[in-house]
Amino acid sequence: MAPQLARIAELTEPRHLARLFGPVQGVTRATLATPGFSGATHERLTVTLRDGRTRALVLKTIDLSRDFTAVRTLDRVGREARFAAARRSAVWRMLRSPYLDWASERPRVAVLMEDLTDHLLPDVRRPLERWQEDTVLAALARLHARYWQHPGLGAPWLARAEHLEGMLIESDDGRPPLGGSVLSDRVRQGWAALRDRVSPAFMGRLHCGAQALRAEHASLPRTLVHGDAKVANFAVARGEVWAFDWACASAAPPSHELGWYLAVNASRLTRPKEAVMERYRVLLEEQLGAPLAEAAWSPLARHAVRAGARTLLWSKTLALEAGGQAARAEWDWWVTAFEQASRA
Ligand SMILES: Nc1ncnc2c1ncn2[C@@H]1O[C@H](COP(=O)(O)OP(=O)(O)O)[C@@H](O)[C@H]1O
Ligand SMILES: [Mg+2]
């Protein structure tokens, strides 16, 4: 990890920025309104250099004591800052880094990034283009293959799979409760609505508790997962993928990433879910350099469905109650797939 050079306020000082870009004339700052829900704040910086050129940057500040994902996944170090600091990590041979600098004044951490606005995937509820989907899936497969059963996965600062999979479920393992935010109220409302529609046995398998989750995960391969493979957390250009928002980075089965990808990006998929899973499988096999036997793939495919349902079926149920054919089809798919995936 690179030594820490700065306090958060210093990150944006001309004297400090000059170390990155050369002599600085001035810096202007503006709040960046973002679609994220975690509670982090973002600012856009325009740095004017003495030679007249400008650089556009984004500063993200996270308060680990308040940030929803940090609290629920026990992020005490600022995982995103760890990734920003690890400039020579192999992660950055699989994906491109947006990070230029970082600072920590715990419980707050901040990362300074390139402004990737021009390469962000547009935040709209319609499918990506096929090449964009393939590029993102390939990047995830590269990351997963690179860290497949890697010894570094024991790092205590990475999130654990059960925290990720139980992030939106009231915990039974001593973690802080869901809390009283707008998001947690919606989550509780969604689970209650689901409970009215499915059997107690279904709910029992869905909200099975941390110990049962650990037992499920123990039989699956582990890798490094980004943890929030929402399309909005990537930028794509010329076949390359920048990945930011590493707050949920975990040592977890790769299927967690696949399940969350399918669930959170439902309106962005260019293929039916089964075909996205197949595509990911092919890309993963390519990267692992060997085919995954059915006996190895099938538990991963089933876990992907369980992970997607556990993290987002509350939201699919709220959408169902709001009406519409697409929401009905989406809900039906997850409920049927979860039943099949939990039976086997
Ligand atoms: N480096 C960046 N360049 C351009 N836009 C960014 C950058 N980082 C974040 N954003 C925008 O802000 C949004 C939220 O940022 P993110 O880091 O994912 O925070 P959150 O934890 O709130 O999801 C992103 O989806 C993107 O639209
Ligand atoms: Mg985000």
Side-chain angles (χ1 to χ4, degrees):
M1 193 163 62
Q4 187 186 344
L5 296 172
R7 293 186 310 108
I8 291 175
E10 280 173 46
L11 285 179
T12 53
E13 282 173 6
R15 194 169 39 86
H16 187 76
L17 290 166
R19 296 194 208 172
L20 297 172
F21 308 120
V24 169
Q25 189 70 40
V27 183
T28 58
R29 303 167 71 143
T31 303
L32 185 63
T34 70
F37 71 81
S38 68
T41 57
H42 295 75
E43 280 180 274
R44 177 173 284 124
L45 270 57
T46 306
V47 181
T48 307
L49 304 177
R50 291 245 176 88
D51 64 11
R53 286 177 304 139
T54 57
R55 295 290 298 252
L57 311 178
V58 170
L59 177 73
K60 176 180 183 182
T61 309
I62 307 156
D63 183 336
L64 300 173
S65 66
R66 298 153 72 108
D67 182 277
F68 183 84
T69 47
V71 170
R72 294 288 298 159
T73 65
L74 303 177
D75 183 4
R76 302 204 173 90
V77 296
R79 292 184 194 108
E80 186 159 12
R82 284 280 174 130
F83 279 83
R87 294 213 180 92
R88 281 187 288 274
S89 164
V91 168
W92 305 129
R93 291 197 288 279
M94 312 296 128
L95 292 150
R96 283 197 65 170
S97 169
Y99 301 110
L100 296 165
D101 211 343
W102 64 286
S104 169
E105 290 176 37
R106 275 195 255 167
R108 290 190 313 139
V109 296
V111 290
L112 188 65
M113 296 178 270
E114 302 274 5
D115 183 350
L116 296 170
T117 303
D118 291 347
H119 303 317
L120 291 178
L121 296 164
D123 187 26
V124 286
R125 293 178 71 79
R126 67 176 139 73
L128 297 177
E129 291 181 33
R130 178 59 62 85
W131 72 267
Q132 294 171 325
E133 179 171 272
D134 284 345
T135 306
V136 171
L137 289 174
L140 293 174
R142 270 201 307 278
L143 178 72
H144 298 163
R146 175 66 179 75
Y147 285 93
W148 200 259
Q149 307 287 37
H150 195 279
L153 294 170
W157 57 273
L158 286 171
R160 295 207 304 275
E162 72 266 20
H163 296 157
L164 214 51
E165 198 160 322
M167 181 151 76
L168 297 163
I169 300 174
E170 210 65 74
S171 355
D172 63 349
D173 59 354
R175 269 184 305 150
L178 273 180
S181 64
V182 175
L183 173 69
S184 14
D185 288 346
R186 295 276 294 159
V187 171
R188 275 189 284 262
Q189 201 187 329
W191 290 136
L194 178 66
R195 214 166 274 123
D196 290 341
R197 291 172 180 270
V198 297
S199 68
F202 184 106
M203 279 315 285
R205 287 192 297 273
L206 195 71
H207 292 189
C208 60
Q211 208 183 341
L213 283 181
R214 273 195 294 278
E216 274 188 28
H217 298 150
S219 61
L220 297 168
R222 283 199 316 173
T223 186
L224 176 65
V225 302
H226 175 279
D228 188 4
K230 199 162 49 173
V231 163
N233 287 332
F234 300 111
V236 175
R238 299 178 298 275
E240 294 184 304
V241 178
W242 286 257
F244 50 85
D245 203 3
W246 290 84
C248 293
S250 308
S255 36
H256 179 89
E257 193 110 281
L258 179 60
W260 174 250
Y261 183 94
L262 293 173
V264 77
N265 298 314
S267 65
R268 320 298 313 271
L269 306 178
T270 76
R271 311 164 159 92
K273 292 182 189 50
E274 295 81 353
V276 174
M277 292 169 91
E278 242 347 278
R279 181 74 194 141
Y280 167 79
R281 177 187 182 168
V282 168
L283 292 163
L284 182 63
E285 288 175 336
E286 260 170 42
Q287 293 299 323
L288 288 170
L292 282 167
E294 204 48 40
W297 171 251
S298 168
L300 289 172
R302 288 202 302 275
H303 176 243
V305 168
R306 290 197 300 271
R310 284 182 178 130
T311 44
L312 276 182
L313 198 42
W314 63 273
S315 157
K316 312 281 179 202
T317 310
L318 291 179
L320 172 74
E321 303 223 315
Q325 272 191 348
R328 154 69 56 190
E330 179 70 9
W331 191 85
D332 284 345
W333 189 91
W334 281 103
V335 168
T336 309
F338 182 81
E339 269 166 351
Q340 283 167 1
S342 335
R343 220 177 284 137

